[in-house]
Amino acid sequence: MKEIDPVYDSDDTDVVDGPNLIGNIPLSFYDSYPHIGYDINGKKIMRPAQGEALDALLDTVDLPEGWTGLIDPATGKPLRLSQEEMEVLRKIQMDLIPEDGYDPYPDMVEYFTGILETMPLSAAPEPKRRFIPSRHEANRVMKIVKAIREGRIVPYKPPGEEEEEDDLEAINYDIWADEKPRPDHPMNIPAPKLPPPGYDQSYNPPPEYLPSKAEQKAWDEADEEDRAEYLPRRYDALRKVPGYDRFVKDRFERALDLYLAPRVRRSKLNIDPESLLPRMPNPDELRPFPTTCATIYRGHHGRVRSLAIDPTGTWLASGGDDGSVRIWELLTGRQVWHVPLSAAEAVHVVRWRPSVDSGILAAAVGASVFLIGAPYRDPEAMQAIEATLDHGWGQAVTTANGQAPASGGSGVKKEKAADWTRPGKGLEEAGVRVQIAVRKAVKAISWHRRGDYFVTVSPDGQNSAIAIHMLSKHLTQLPFRRLKGLAQTAQFHPTKPILFVATQRTIRTYDLMRQELVKTLLPGARWISSMDVHPGGDNLIVGSYDRRLLWHDLDLSVRPYKTLRYHDKAIRAVKFHPGGLPLFADASDDGSVQIFHGKVVGDLMENATIVPLKVLRGHQVRQQLGVIDLDWHPRQPWCVSAGADGTCRLWT
């Protein structure tokens, strides 16, 4: 072998390059190198130079011998084949045998023929093992003999003999031979019986049960699963009725239904439905409450829109569409005093000042509120009333909350919240002492428990809808710059400095000391008509024009605790009994007054008890208006109602 010369650096191109000895390593591993492998001496085999496209074209002009157009992957040089190799490739391409002289169809050599030969193919003598019994075969024969003796292998018998022996050896047992009738299982339920056949299943049904041609065609064209089970047909005689082709299928489906349909007998609970309802007290046990009409007050011309019983329980004040305020003696129904406040507008509301010795009545006519001290009482009481009403005239006029005329930086005067003036001479002689003119018509008045403040509600007033008036100083305040919603009514809390303001759908509670919103109640009514606060201050009832009476527990939730629907028309007024009796009532346009028992206890774990007691009917419905207002006696279980028929009624 030629030794490797480490300093070999010959440029002789005539030397034939040795083979590329890189083994199974792919040639692509040398793509980033200038060489493509090593020869047997360890020298690099350089990558052959590749010419341009023009050189390749020139090479194809004069094809050398053995040219193939392929590149040898081992050397990277053009691959050249000899004439013998080219001939082998040509034969393979033509599906020929590449070996020279190969005969694909040689003559058949008949090794075995049908001619009986004298001598066998082999003249070797027979081996000795063919004449000695085999021990292995003897073991197999003994196993078969043992199996026959044990009965595991049965000798073959003809079919006829086998059946005769089976008939002789068969033993049949009657499992029902000693059966006795026994009672059904306690949970056994008999299968439901099929309904009896009707007229349509008769072989000669009436004509109205027979299908028409259109129905017969539709039945024939329908799918077998969608069509009816059968069509009624008529036959002259019963013997002409053919066999029922669905008999077997119907019996099978019937048996399948009885098998798969579970039937369980459930014992019904013997429970009285009344015992599931909460036990309500008997109304007779909740007496006293008003049941009958004792007195009718007549004198108003038109509807009576409002009424109120004074704190002493002696006098009843009422106002109506005739623009007059009338005062009645409660027990006798005698009218003791009246004054016409307006000839064009109605008296929307009248409310007594909550003080036993005051005797001051507030009445709203249009956009004016009148404070009345009627001259039907003794002189000393009248002097005290006049002194209370005239005390505010000497107070200094302040500019707080827009009370007095003031001018801003631009010199424009602010509009007064209200004007406190004396009425005309005629009204003043009749007992009307003060007139308060507000911006819009007043629909509701509510007094504070101490009697020095009262709130008026003007639904059309927007930012001036709620006005708080101070009687001792003749001042008016507008607590809200902007009120969300259309104000309906407002009321003071019985014991806390809290004001309840009801809009169309919500009731907001405001803390007057902190001047902030405390809570927003959501009665869920479409249009709130009235509300009243329980004397305890923790509960509230709301009446709505959508015929619902809602009870709110202020400590429980902002949603109603109870929703009562006992009227067919709108509810106009609701009222708690102010004297501590567990009673409240509502008035509706259906002409009735509903009396309820509403017991509130101090235990927070016990809810209020609400029981309907009595429906009082007597007022007539006029122009779809029934009972418009109601009020309770301060101590007795009596109530009075004002109706659209022009009368007031005392219920005792």
Side-chain angles (χ1 to χ4, degrees):
M1 180 182 290
K2 185 179 179 180
E3 296 181 357
I4 299 175
D5 186 3
V7 295
Y8 176 78
D9 192 13
S10 175
D11 292 334
D12 188 4
T13 58
D14 295 335
V15 180
V16 179
D17 295 335
N20 191 0
L21 303 177
I22 61 175
N24 295 330
I25 299 176
L27 197 63
S28 61
F29 285 11
Y30 294 90
D31 290 345
S32 60
Y33 298 98
H35 59 283
I36 60 174
Y38 301 90
D39 58 7
I40 191 171
N41 295 323
K43 295 181 180 180
K44 297 180 180 179
I45 300 176
M46 305 306 294
R47 189 184 305 274
Q50 295 180 356
E52 300 295 336
L54 182 58
D55 297 339
L57 179 62
L58 293 177
D59 293 341
T60 59
V61 173
D62 187 12
L63 297 177
E65 185 179 357
W67 180 88
T68 60
L70 303 176
I71 302 298
D72 188 359
T75 62
K77 297 181 180 181
L79 180 64
R80 297 182 180 181
L81 302 177
S82 62
Q83 190 65 27
E84 292 78 7
E85 293 173 342
M86 295 290 290
E87 184 66 19
V88 170
L89 291 178
R90 185 188 66 80
K91 290 181 178 181
I92 293 175
Q93 186 177 7
M94 296 176 65
D95 294 336
L96 299 177
I97 302 299
E99 184 181 355
D100 290 338
Y102 175 79
D103 185 9
Y105 308 106
D107 296 335
M108 181 179 176
V109 179
E110 297 181 355
Y111 295 99
F112 301 96
T113 63
I115 302 173
L116 180 63
E117 299 293 341
T118 307
M119 296 297 292
L121 295 179
S122 175
E126 292 290 341
K128 184 179 180 180
R129 64 177 179 273
R130 295 187 181 180
F131 300 95
I132 299 175
S134 173
R135 185 174 298 178
H136 171 70
E137 293 179 357
N139 292 336
R140 293 193 61 184
V141 170
M142 291 307 298
K143 285 185 179 181
I144 296 174
V145 171
K146 185 178 180 181
I148 293 174
R149 291 174 180 175
E150 293 177 355
R152 291 185 283 112
I153 296 179
V154 179
Y156 172 76
K157 294 181 180 180
E161 298 179 1
E162 185 177 359
E163 293 179 1
E164 293 177 359
E165 293 182 0
D166 292 342
D167 294 342
L168 296 176
E169 296 177 358
I171 301 176
N172 298 325
Y173 297 93
D174 187 3
I175 60 175
W176 293 282
D178 56 349
E179 183 181 15
K180 297 180 181 179
R182 56 184 177 179
D184 293 334
H185 192 271
M187 299 301 293
N188 177 64
I189 299 178
K193 296 182 179 180
L194 292 175
Y199 291 107
D200 54 340
Q201 296 180 351
S202 173
Y203 72 92
N204 190 11
E208 59 268 17
Y209 288 94
L210 296 176
S212 61
K213 294 183 179 179
E215 293 175 348
Q216 178 71 33
K217 182 179 180 182
W219 189 85
D220 293 337
E221 295 177 354
D223 190 35
E224 186 177 358
E225 296 181 356
D226 298 336
R227 64 174 61 167
E229 294 183 0
Y230 64 93
L231 281 182
R233 300 179 185 275
R234 171 175 290 180
Y235 300 96
D236 297 338
L238 184 59
R239 65 178 181 274
K240 297 182 181 180
V241 178
Y244 184 44
D245 55 348
R246 291 175 49 89
F247 178 78
V248 176
K249 185 175 181 180
D250 287 354
R251 295 302 93 192
F252 173 75
E253 292 179 354
R254 168 71 173 170
L256 195 64
D257 292 341
L258 297 178
Y259 167 66
L260 295 179
R263 299 188 300 277
V264 179
R265 177 174 296 171
R266 296 181 179 178
S267 58
K268 295 183 180 180
L269 299 178
N270 190 13
I271 298 177
D272 186 11
E274 299 294 336
S275 63
L276 301 177
L277 300 176
R279 183 182 178 276
M280 302 297 291
N282 190 357
D284 294 336
E285 300 175 358
L286 303 178
R287 292 182 181 275
F289 55 85
T291 57
T292 57
C293 179
T295 308
I296 301 178
Y297 309 89
R298 305 181 188 273
H300 281 281
H301 303 286
R303 305 187 188 98
V304 181
R305 291 191 173 269
S306 180
L307 51 75
I309 301 177
D310 75 320
T312 63
T314 307
W315 313 104
L316 172 67
S318 62
D321 284 352
D322 55 2
S324 64
V325 175
R326 301 173 186 268
I327 297 180
W328 316 77
E329 192 174 0
L330 183 64
L331 296 179
T332 62
R334 181 176 61 90
Q335 178 179 312
V336 296
W337 180 84
H338 86 282
V339 58
L341 298 179
S342 174
E345 294 182 298
V347 179
H348 288 286
V349 58
V350 291
R351 291 294 181 264
W352 290 96
R353 184 187 179 207
S355 179
V356 177
D357 55 351
S358 66
I360 298 176
L361 179 67
V365 180
S368 299
V369 179
F370 295 93
L371 300 180
I372 303 170
Y376 59 86
R377 308 185 69 172
D378 56 277
E380 295 181 359
M382 290 304 302
Q383 291 179 1
I385 293 173
E386 293 177 0
T388 301
L389 294 175
D390 295 341
H391 180 71
W393 298 120
Q395 299 295 324
V397 178
T398 64
T399 59
N401 299 318
Q403 301 304 314
S407 60
S410 61
V412 180
K413 293 183 178 180
K414 295 182 180 180
E415 184 180 1
K416 289 184 178 181
D419 289 331
W420 292 67
T421 59
R422 294 184 183 274
K425 183 178 180 180
L427 293 178
E428 195 168 356
E429 291 178 353
V432 182
R433 301 298 180 183
V434 180
Q435 180 179 359
I436 307 169
V438 295
R439 298 178 184 179
K440 296 294 181 179
V442 177
K443 300 296 183 180
I445 297 176
S446 178
W447 284 88
H448 191 265
R449 65 183 185 280
R450 296 182 179 178
D452 193 20
Y453 295 92
F454 64 94
V455 60
T456 58
V457 180
S458 304
D460 299 332
Q462 296 180 356
N463 59 344
S464 63
I466 305 297
I468 299 178
H469 310 273
M470 187 175 181
L471 180 61
S472 60
K473 294 185 178 180
H474 289 188
L475 295 178
T476 300
Q477 300 178 358
L478 300 178
F480 304 107
R481 293 183 180 179
R482 177 180 292 179
L483 186 63
K484 296 181 180 180
L486 190 64
Q488 299 298 312
T489 183
Q491 196 166 353
F492 290 101
H493 192 277
T495 57
K496 299 178 182 179
I498 293 178
L499 179 65
F500 295 88
V501 179
T503 58
Q504 283 185 348
R505 297 193 176 185
T506 61
I507 298 175
R508 293 180 172 88
T509 59
Y510 296 93
D511 192 329
L512 300 178
M513 296 292 292
R514 300 180 180 179
Q515 299 182 2
E516 64 182 9
L517 177 65
V518 178
K519 186 185 297 185
T520 300
L521 303 180
L522 304 174
R526 296 182 180 177
W527 196 308
I528 297 174
S529 62
S530 56
M531 72 170 178
D532 192 29
V533 184
H534 191 271
D538 294 334
N539 294 273
L540 181 77
I541 54 174
V542 181
S544 64
Y545 290 115
D546 53 354
R547 303 172 295 177
R548 286 189 283 184
L549 176 64
L550 306 122
W551 179 292
H552 275 273
D553 191 337
L554 302 181
D555 296 333
L556 186 63
S557 171
V558 297
R559 299 287 181 178
Y561 163 65
K562 286 287 185 181
T563 301
L564 307 176
R565 296 179 177 88
Y566 288 101
H567 292 284
D568 299 333
K569 294 185 178 180
I571 296 177
R572 292 282 177 176
V574 292
K575 194 73 174 178
F576 276 112
H577 193 283
L581 295 177
L583 297 173
F584 67 96
D586 62 355
S588 173
D589 280 342
D590 57 6
S592 65
V593 176
Q594 183 84 36
I595 307 297
F596 295 91
H597 171 85
K599 182 181 178 182
V600 179
V601 295
D603 187 4
L604 296 178
M605 301 300 293
E606 185 177 353
N607 295 326
T609 303
I610 303 174
V611 182
L613 297 177
K614 186 69 175 179
V615 179
L616 305 177
R617 303 184 185 274
H619 288 279
Q620 298 180 3
V621 178
R622 300 288 177 83
Q623 297 180 357
Q624 297 184 355
L625 294 177
V627 183
I628 302 177
D629 196 11
L630 62 86
D631 197 9
W632 286 95
H633 192 277
R635 293 176 302 277
Q636 299 294 334
W638 304 342
C639 71
V640 288
S641 58
D645 55 357
T647 64
C648 302
R649 294 174 182 267
L650 172 64
W651 306 89
T652 60

